[in-house]
Amino acid sequence: KVEGEGEKAEEEVFELTVPDGEEVVETSGRSKLYRYAKTEEGGEWKERGLGVVVFLRYKDSGKVHAVMRREKTHKVCMNHYLTKNIRMEPNKGVDKSWVWTASDVSDGEPQMSVFAIRFKTEADATMFKETYEKFAFSPDEETDAPAEEKKEDAAEEKKE
């Protein structure tokens, strides 16, 4: 491997365009995403893509959603809000992988999907889960601010 060649490839992976009205709050390490597809025989995991998950916050509402694009085609393979009702579970016997269910809109219409994601390192997997938990909000909250910001605001009010 030529020094610098891999660095250039890594830079291309993180190149992204942020839509107006949104801001990047975090990115994940490089990962492989799968979606569970039901079949007549039961079901199977289908690969959705290889890439980086970008956590974007809407500036007007404060809500955060997770978006993953395939590295080469840049096609969206995951796009959903980070809500408190998402239960991130470790994948069976794998420390670098998570499984969860969310209402995904990457294919246009919202549909409940079961996802699995696998990272190269345990540290990347842990950071991914912590980011989900940090920015998750309750779908029935009266305001649109993420839960983490509400907790911080409540703590500051108690101090005063």
Side-chain angles (χ1 to χ4, degrees):
K1 179 176 165 180
V2 177
E3 195 73 21
E5 188 176 335
E7 293 170 18
K8 185 175 181 180
E10 285 296 314
E11 288 174 18
E12 291 174 1
V13 169
F14 292 105
E15 188 176 313
L16 65 114
T17 304
V18 179
D20 287 342
E22 296 182 37
E23 63 182 344
V24 175
V25 292
E26 191 71 58
T27 59
S28 75
R30 192 167 177 236
S31 58
K32 192 173 277 193
L33 182 73
Y34 301 86
R35 185 167 62 185
Y36 192 75
K38 294 179 182 176
T39 63
E40 292 178 14
E41 295 83 37
E44 63 182 339
W45 288 103
K46 300 269 188 169
E47 186 176 322
R48 291 289 289 165
L50 177 67
V52 173
V53 178
V54 178
F55 297 95
L56 298 167
R57 181 190 333 251
Y58 290 105
K59 290 179 181 176
D60 59 348
S61 70
K63 292 181 179 180
V64 176
H65 61 118
V67 178
M68 182 173 180
R69 291 182 177 271
R70 294 182 182 124
E71 279 185 356
K72 295 184 190 227
T73 64
H74 302 288
K75 182 177 183 213
V76 174
C77 57
M78 179 183 74
N79 184 3
H80 64 79
Y81 280 119
L82 276 56
T83 62
K84 290 260 186 231
N85 60 359
I86 293 174
R87 299 287 174 246
M88 188 90 42
E89 301 291 331
N91 204 347
K92 297 176 187 171
V94 182
D95 293 335
K96 301 181 285 187
S97 182
W98 299 104
V99 176
W100 73 99
T101 302
S103 180
D104 184 59
V105 293
S106 62
D107 292 332
E109 293 296 317
Q111 72 178 47
M112 290 306 288
S113 299
V114 179
F115 291 104
I117 195 164
R118 188 178 70 222
F119 295 90
K120 281 189 173 188
T121 68
E122 195 173 330
D124 284 345
T126 301
M127 188 278 306
F128 177 78
K129 184 178 188 216
E130 289 171 352
T131 301
Y132 256 80
E133 292 169 348
K134 179 179 179 182
F135 293 109
F137 65 91
S138 296
D140 57 348
E141 287 180 3
E142 289 180 23
T143 67
D144 289 334
E148 188 66 26
E149 289 180 8
K150 284 186 163 187
K151 288 178 192 173
E152 291 171 4
D153 291 345
E156 285 180 24
E157 287 175 12
K158 286 181 182 178
K159 288 179 186 177
E160 296 174 358

